[in-house]
Amino acid sequence: MSTTHPRSIALALPLALTLLLTAAVPSRAAVQVVTKATVSYPHFTTIQDAVNAAAPGDWVLIDVGVYPEPVYVTTPSLHIRGMDRTGVIVDGQHQVGNGIEVWKADGVWIENLTVRNFDRATLDGEDGNEIWWNGGDGSGQIGLHGWYGRYLTTYSDGLLAGYGIFTSNAVGGFWDNVYASGFNDSGIYLGACRDCKAKIRNALIENNALGYSGTNSGGHIILEKSIFRNNSSGIGPNSLNNDDQPPPQDGACNSGLNDSSTPAFLSTRVQRCTIIRKNVIENNDNLTTPANSTTASIPWGNGIILIGTYADLVKNNTIRNNPSVGLLGIENPDPFPPTPSTVFFQLSGNKISGNTFENNGTAGDPSSTDITLAGGLFGAQQSVNNCVSGNTLTTSSPANIQDTWSCRHPTTPNPGGAALGFILQKQAESQARTSVPQPVPPSQPTMPNPCKGVPKNPLCS
């Protein structure tokens, strides 16, 4: 325990009350709620107490320390900021629960802190989310507008944490300078928004079952300038027939007007607004990560895997050293084997252009390549009008994919099922994995000046 009181920080917006939270465990840290009309500094011992005392528009500032508590936010327009990204730790201590959960509160910012080791009760439990903007999970409705996260670290050194940074049933937000490691589902997750209006950039995502997952999230999304490495697979937008209604994952610019789970794209000439660009996606070969039943069923070793997706644009990425496939695109009948409730999600209207593929796949296997597409097997057999052009690559399945499936063609055919056996093999290998805890990550860059923009006060003068 520190023998001196460490410095504290404060954030501000124009409300009338100012509050101070101190004495985090184990260090003598401080959390403060500050407005422009500062009148007093009452003290608290938990982040939750400070959040409860804050009003819409206040800033909650957290001094260096370890805070062994979950935090539940229902007040809109709060700014929650740590004074040091590595030094401010919300610690789950491997108890079941969520770290910081924002429940249907619009416009909440979370910045410059670490959340770790909040667990699920089982591998497939519903908790274990480190930071979660929750607009009504499972409701099929958008219940949150405005979500913002910067300079965030999330990790688990166990086997039961689900998601690192998680947004569901919400629109209009971004993550910038974020990190996630050690999760049995995905490091970062954006789901259940037909037109998400979201941007994700400058992320470092490693050592997860899946680096990025986007279930039934589409429309205006940009995922850019990030690194996905050492996951079982790197990036995985997907359509699922689960509680993240409504499906599918539809990257078309007019996705908000789509009312079909299996839309038809009749041409390669699609206006696409879900864009995966300018990322480094490498060495996604980690078959020791935690995994739940869903992520263990995903074929492993892929840089990008498009799982029943529609009208996504993948461009100008560097995709290298992924042992199964650099980019794998597949149909997704869900559930499978088919039942009367199965939705036969196709792989249609996607564009793959201008990417650099290097050293992907395993020599000698015709389906283990830089780009492998499989479709025309299930349902309406309309995995058509995907196109591939302008990429630097060596191998593909089908062969010569930039000829028959070139984007200069107004239509392209089903790619066929030649890779199906290979895909099932990689799925079986994924399910047979031996999971081990992933390493504690090194410190990540902190916010340069956490007092920037804060009105003058005793803690940030």
Side-chain angles (χ1 to χ4, degrees):
M1 179 177 292
S2 174
T3 57
T4 60
H5 197 292
R7 61 191 177 96
S8 305
I9 60 174
L11 313 181
L13 271 182
L15 283 182
L17 177 66
T18 301
L19 305 162
L20 176 66
L21 188 159
T22 60
V25 179
S27 63
R28 295 177 59 207
V31 182
Q32 183 171 359
V33 182
V34 177
T35 69
K36 289 186 177 179
T38 299
V39 293
S40 63
Y41 295 90
H43 288 70
F44 300 91
T45 57
T46 69
I47 300 171
Q48 186 67 64
D49 284 345
V51 166
N52 291 346
D58 283 347
W59 293 61
V60 176
L61 298 178
I62 310 170
D63 199 1
V64 167
V66 179
Y67 298 81
E69 57 172 313
V71 179
Y72 190 67
V73 182
T74 59
T75 303
S77 301
L78 291 185
H79 285 235
I80 301 171
R81 183 185 290 180
M83 69 171 292
D84 183 87
R85 181 178 180 178
T86 300
V88 175
I89 301 171
V90 182
D91 188 4
Q93 300 181 323
H94 293 296
Q95 301 298 306
V96 173
N98 298 309
I100 302 176
E101 180 179 355
V102 179
W103 171 254
K104 293 187 176 182
D106 296 344
V108 173
W109 292 68
I110 304 174
E111 301 174 294
N112 209 40
L113 49 78
T114 293
V115 185
R116 70 185 183 193
N117 293 333
F118 286 85
D119 285 354
R120 295 175 165 182
T122 64
L123 286 175
D124 294 305
E126 295 296 325
D127 295 307
N129 309 302
E130 310 309 294
I131 302 174
W132 185 9
W133 286 265
N134 184 350
D137 193 54
S139 69
Q141 304 293 323
I142 299 299
L144 192 157
H145 296 77
W147 48 272
Y148 313 103
R150 297 192 304 161
Y151 292 96
L152 298 174
T153 295
T154 58
Y155 73 89
S156 173
D157 59 10
L159 300 177
L160 293 176
Y163 295 111
I165 305 174
F166 181 8
T167 294
S168 61
N169 301 86
V171 297
F174 67 80
W175 298 320
D176 190 5
N177 281 287
V178 298
Y179 177 92
S181 171
F183 295 100
N184 74 18
D185 206 302
S186 63
I188 54 177
Y189 178 89
L190 176 62
C193 43
R194 182 60 64 84
D195 187 3
C196 300
K197 301 175 183 176
K199 180 175 283 190
I200 303 167
R201 60 194 175 197
N202 300 319
L204 173 56
I205 311 298
E206 60 186 356
N207 303 322
N208 307 283
L210 189 57
Y212 166 83
S213 179
T215 298
N216 303 335
S217 56
H220 294 77
I221 300 174
I222 295 177
L223 175 56
E224 67 178 1
K225 299 178 182 178
S226 298
I227 298 171
F228 297 85
R229 67 188 184 195
N230 302 328
N231 305 285
S232 294
S233 283
I235 296 175
N238 57 87
S239 298
L240 290 180
N241 185 23
N242 67 356
D243 63 343
D244 283 334
Q245 300 291 326
Q249 194 281 314
D250 176 3
C253 297
N254 63 352
S255 63
L257 301 177
N258 175 34
D259 59 4
S260 171
S261 296
T262 54
F265 289 90
L266 304 181
S267 168
T268 60
R269 313 288 164 79
V270 177
Q271 288 189 321
R272 303 171 177 90
C273 284
T274 294
I275 304 172
I276 301 169
R277 68 186 183 193
K278 299 179 182 179
N279 302 287
V280 175
I281 306 157
E282 62 184 359
N283 301 309
N284 290 288
D285 57 359
N286 189 345
L287 205 50
T288 72
T289 71
N292 59 32
S293 62
T294 299
T295 52
S297 70
I298 297 173
W300 76 284
N302 306 290
I304 297 176
I305 179 167
L306 305 178
I307 305 172
T309 67
Y310 297 82
D312 291 344
L313 173 58
V314 181
K315 71 173 187 177
N316 300 338
N317 301 281
T318 298
I319 305 171
R320 61 194 178 202
N321 301 327
N322 302 287
S324 295
V325 183
L327 184 149
L328 174 63
I330 59 177
E331 296 174 345
N332 188 36
D334 183 32
F336 189 85
T339 71
S341 64
T342 292
V343 178
F344 291 90
F345 298 112
Q346 304 294 290
L347 178 78
S348 182
N350 301 285
K351 181 176 181 178
I352 304 158
S353 69
N355 302 282
T356 299
F357 292 86
E358 301 174 358
N359 194 37
N360 299 289
T362 302
D365 191 319
S367 297
S368 186
T369 69
D370 287 321
I371 301 176
T372 294
L373 302 181
L377 302 174
F378 303 104
Q381 299 183 333
Q382 289 296 303
S383 288
V384 295
N385 299 325
N386 303 288
C387 73
V388 184
S389 285
N391 302 281
T392 301
L393 57 86
T394 303
T395 57
S396 69
S397 176
N400 302 315
I401 201 166
Q402 298 195 109
D403 293 333
T404 304
W405 281 267
S406 171
C407 296
R408 68 176 180 270
H409 301 314
T411 62
T412 59
N414 289 305
L420 183 59
F422 167 78
I423 292 166
L424 294 175
Q425 174 191 340
K426 295 303 170 184
Q427 180 187 56
E429 292 171 1
S430 180
Q431 292 170 327
R433 75 178 63 207
T434 299
S435 296
V436 300
Q438 300 301 296
V440 173
S443 297
Q444 302 299 311
T446 194
M447 183 178 288
N449 181 5
C451 286
K452 183 176 181 180
V454 178
K456 184 176 180 180
N457 65 81
L459 300 180
C460 281
S461 58

